[in-house]
Amino acid sequence: MKKIVLIADGIVAKKFLNTVLEKYFSNNLYIVISKDASLVPIKVPSTFNFQIFDPTSSYRLLSAMDEDVSDVFIIMESPREREIVYEIIKSRYKAIRIVVSAYEDEIALPKLLEDEKVVLMEEAQIIAGRLLARLPNVPLIPQGFGLEQGEVMEIGVPFGSVFAYRHIGSIQQKNYKIVGIYRHSEFLLSNYSMVIQPRDILLVAGDPKVLDNVYRQIKSDIGQFPAPFGRDTYVYVDTLLQSEKAVMRDLHQALYVHRHTKSHKLYIRVLNPANFPLLQKIKSLDQSDVNVSLDYSGADFITKLKEDSEKKIGLVVIGKEIFSSRHSRKALFDIATPVLKTSPRDIKEVKESMVVLNEEMNTGENISSIIFDISIQMGLGVLLYDFEPDGHYQVQITQDYENLSRIFDKKIRVHRTNSKNPVLFLKETKHPVLQFLPFEECISKTRFFWFFSTKVEKISFMLDNNPQIFIPIME
């Protein structure tokens, strides 16, 4: 058991002391020092020692303490008296931990903040936090737990949330974890296959800043892409590797996607800048929500991507010239961010998004909500291409998409065939489509074995006649 000193007076101290006496009297040995005799209860537990004197008396206060004291709680109404008591204790016990109740506007506050051994409990902040917890549509952050900075949060799931009707295992949980679910007054520990339902309350833990973003994602309706991956879009062009036409193709398509999604800002990264007239065209795109950066350092795409990925990229836009490199694909795969590969067919002409259903890939839920999100924002229809030579179609995955289509009020079109391979369909389609593919690790591998593969994503991603978005998925 630890020896604790409580230096108390006032209403807050009395409530605190009553709670300790009622619930935690046997947890520690307590020395209670106060000039208010009314704080002494009728029945004093054996673990409590009450001493009535003025704690601003240095001689008497230090006489009541010894080296076995681990913590001191200073709960006093007078800021000046708190400061005197604090200085008396620190004059002899440098390493002791001191918990102080205080007000934000106190003169002594800076001194207490600089002391690493002091835990400052600002009363106004505590009350404000408790009031905030009662507001509707705000995350509930436990008080008196952990760092109390929001590293643990309870978040309710509304109808229409992008998290509703999804398996926990299909949600990319980067720098946070869904620990459990409160459902019908019961707490359920999370597991990979558990499906999140509307009106569930999620218990999440992780980086406080990340949890703030997660809260907004859960509470918001569909139409937030590039969230949850990030807020901004990054497009990379290389004037030595690409022609002027290819560079402007990538920039115009990146601008179009940026304008038609919730992308906060578009960052244009120009590698190996050359061709002055072309650079002037690129610079003319610079505006409040578009940042143009010319990199004269000679850094390659992989180096620049790794630097930018520290800022949490929402979407990467690149052309086939960069994407064709296995090392570039490997770097893109490693940052687990969606990638738009442009095509000669302008994305402005796209009227329909497309996903090829394949049981082996198990893509259904992993990318379905993102497909709906982008399609809704860009005003695109959704085509499910179900190709099975033996006629065993992906009924369950189709049903998952149909459930989401009802939730988001977005019609889908299902094309089932046992004869026309989707690769041939993509080659022959008269109108451009935006193809969605799961960004699986096999895409980052060497090309040698692709032609012998039956996995659609290993073959169709080599096609360049339609824009393609690669979505990272959970393995």
Side-chain angles (χ1 to χ4, degrees):
M1 299 176 72
K2 291 187 176 182
K3 184 182 286 188
I4 312 295
V5 171
L6 306 180
I7 302 173
D9 75 62
I11 297 174
V12 175
K14 190 169 186 177
K15 287 187 176 294
F16 172 71
L17 184 58
N18 287 340
T19 302
V20 176
L21 285 165
E22 181 182 348
K23 296 183 178 180
Y24 309 113
F25 59 89
S26 63
N27 292 33
N28 301 291
L29 297 174
Y30 296 97
I31 299 173
V32 182
I33 299 171
S34 178
K35 56 185 178 182
D36 183 1
S38 67
L39 289 179
V40 183
I42 298 175
K43 293 183 179 180
V44 179
S46 60
T47 54
F48 275 75
N49 175 16
F50 281 84
Q51 300 189 30
I52 306 302
F53 62 83
D54 185 350
T56 60
S57 168
S58 176
Y59 172 77
R60 298 202 64 179
L61 180 58
L62 293 177
S63 298
M65 298 176 59
D66 56 41
E67 298 291 342
D68 293 331
V69 174
S70 63
D71 299 81
V72 176
F73 284 70
I74 304 174
I75 313 170
M76 306 175 72
E77 290 186 333
S78 169
R80 179 57 184 160
E81 290 185 0
R82 281 201 295 264
E83 183 180 359
I84 292 172
V85 170
Y86 163 78
E87 291 180 343
I88 291 171
I89 296 171
K90 296 298 289 189
S91 68
R92 177 175 295 181
Y93 302 103
K94 305 291 185 184
I96 202 167
R97 190 181 79 132
I98 302 177
V99 180
V100 185
S101 65
Y103 299 100
E104 293 179 328
D105 56 352
E106 288 184 19
I107 298 174
L109 202 56
K111 182 189 298 183
L112 299 179
L113 288 171
E114 293 172 2
D115 191 337
E116 294 181 354
K117 294 295 183 179
V118 169
V119 178
L120 200 62
M121 307 296 291
E122 297 178 19
E123 294 180 15
Q125 184 177 2
I126 294 171
I127 294 171
R130 296 298 297 270
L131 291 171
L132 282 171
R134 298 298 185 271
L135 282 174
N137 296 322
V138 299
L140 182 60
I141 299 171
Q143 301 296 319
F145 181 85
L147 302 176
E148 296 188 39
Q149 296 176 358
E151 71 275 15
V152 178
M153 191 178 289
E154 291 181 8
I155 309 174
V157 181
F159 283 93
S161 169
V162 294
F163 277 57
Y165 302 108
R166 296 185 62 186
H167 290 91
I168 289 178
S170 74
I171 299 171
Q172 186 182 41
Q173 299 167 56
K174 190 174 182 180
N175 296 327
Y176 81 98
K177 290 293 181 185
I178 299 174
V179 179
I181 292 177
Y182 294 97
R183 180 181 296 165
H184 305 310
S185 301
E186 183 181 1
F187 179 71
L188 307 172
L189 281 174
S190 68
N191 58 63
Y192 188 91
S193 60
M194 184 178 289
V195 177
I196 298 172
Q197 302 288 342
R199 296 182 179 174
D200 281 349
I201 297 176
L202 305 185
L203 179 64
V204 296
D207 182 272
K209 293 181 180 179
V210 174
L211 293 190
D212 285 340
N213 289 329
V214 173
Y215 172 79
R216 285 191 288 270
Q217 293 158 24
I218 293 175
K219 289 296 186 181
S220 63
D221 294 333
I222 200 79
Q224 300 301 311
F225 184 85
F229 300 97
R231 299 177 62 199
D232 305 314
T233 299
Y234 284 70
V235 55
Y236 297 85
V237 293
D238 189 328
T239 61
L240 293 183
L241 183 65
Q242 297 177 276
S243 66
E244 178 175 342
K245 182 178 180 181
V247 168
M248 297 310 297
R249 170 203 70 202
D250 293 352
L251 297 184
H252 286 146
Q253 295 194 32
L255 275 167
Y256 183 82
V257 174
H258 168 64
R259 300 290 188 213
H260 288 79
T261 61
K262 287 292 180 66
S263 172
H264 180 257
K265 195 164 187 175
L266 173 64
Y267 289 88
I268 297 176
R269 297 292 191 244
V270 183
L271 306 175
N272 302 310
N275 186 338
F276 184 75
L278 173 58
L279 297 182
Q280 289 298 106
K281 289 182 182 180
I282 297 174
K283 286 182 179 179
S284 68
L285 300 175
D286 203 335
Q287 46 192 290
S288 60
D289 65 335
V290 179
N291 175 272
V292 177
S293 173
L294 307 180
D295 192 325
Y296 290 97
S297 67
D300 60 11
F301 165 71
I302 296 173
T303 301
K304 199 65 182 173
L305 179 68
K306 288 181 178 178
E307 291 177 1
D308 290 334
S309 65
E310 297 177 359
K311 303 170 187 175
K312 197 168 172 57
I313 301 174
L315 173 68
V316 174
V317 181
I318 55 173
K320 61 180 181 180
E321 297 83 2
I322 296 176
F323 195 80
S324 62
S325 165
R326 178 175 65 86
H327 298 293
S328 296
R329 294 194 304 275
K330 177 64 166 62
L332 290 165
F333 175 80
D334 289 340
I335 67 170
T337 295
V339 177
L340 167 63
K341 184 179 68 148
T342 63
S343 82
R345 305 173 82 175
D346 199 331
I347 199 168
K348 294 179 182 179
E349 301 173 4
V350 172
K351 302 299 180 185
E352 194 169 45
S353 58
M354 171 185 171
V355 60
V356 179
L357 304 184
N358 187 304
E359 185 176 11
E360 186 181 3
M361 292 191 301
N362 191 25
T363 64
E365 186 182 3
N366 286 321
I367 65 174
S368 57
S369 63
I370 300 171
I371 292 172
F372 277 99
D373 194 329
I374 297 174
S375 299
I376 289 170
Q377 290 192 64
M378 297 182 64
L380 306 178
V382 178
L383 168 63
L384 305 184
Y385 198 94
D386 193 356
F387 170 67
E388 283 293 337
D390 58 4
H392 296 151
Y393 298 114
Q394 308 303 320
V395 177
Q396 182 57 55
I397 297 177
T398 301
Q399 287 178 351
D400 292 338
Y401 274 90
E402 290 174 342
N403 288 336
L404 284 174
S405 73
R406 286 190 290 271
I407 294 169
F408 302 129
D409 193 25
K410 182 69 174 177
K411 292 183 178 180
I412 61 175
R413 184 166 67 93
V414 180
H415 179 76
R416 289 192 172 99
T417 178
N418 60 2
S419 58
K420 195 165 190 176
N421 187 291
V423 174
L424 295 177
F425 173 84
L426 288 165
K427 282 184 176 181
E428 298 172 1
T429 178
K430 294 180 180 179
H431 303 287
V433 296
L434 177 60
Q435 185 189 5
F436 286 88
L437 301 98
F439 202 159
E440 294 194 323
E441 189 174 10
C442 59
I443 291 177
S444 66
K445 304 296 184 181
T446 181
R447 294 179 178 229
F448 181 76
F449 294 103
W450 294 346
F451 296 98
F452 301 97
S453 175
T454 58
K455 294 189 82 175
V456 173
E457 75 277 20
K458 279 191 177 180
I459 303 172
S460 63
F461 94 86
M462 294 186 292
L463 303 177
D464 299 320
N465 59 326
N466 289 290
Q468 297 172 318
I469 293 184
F470 299 84
I471 306 297
I473 62 172
M474 298 292 292
E475 292 293 342

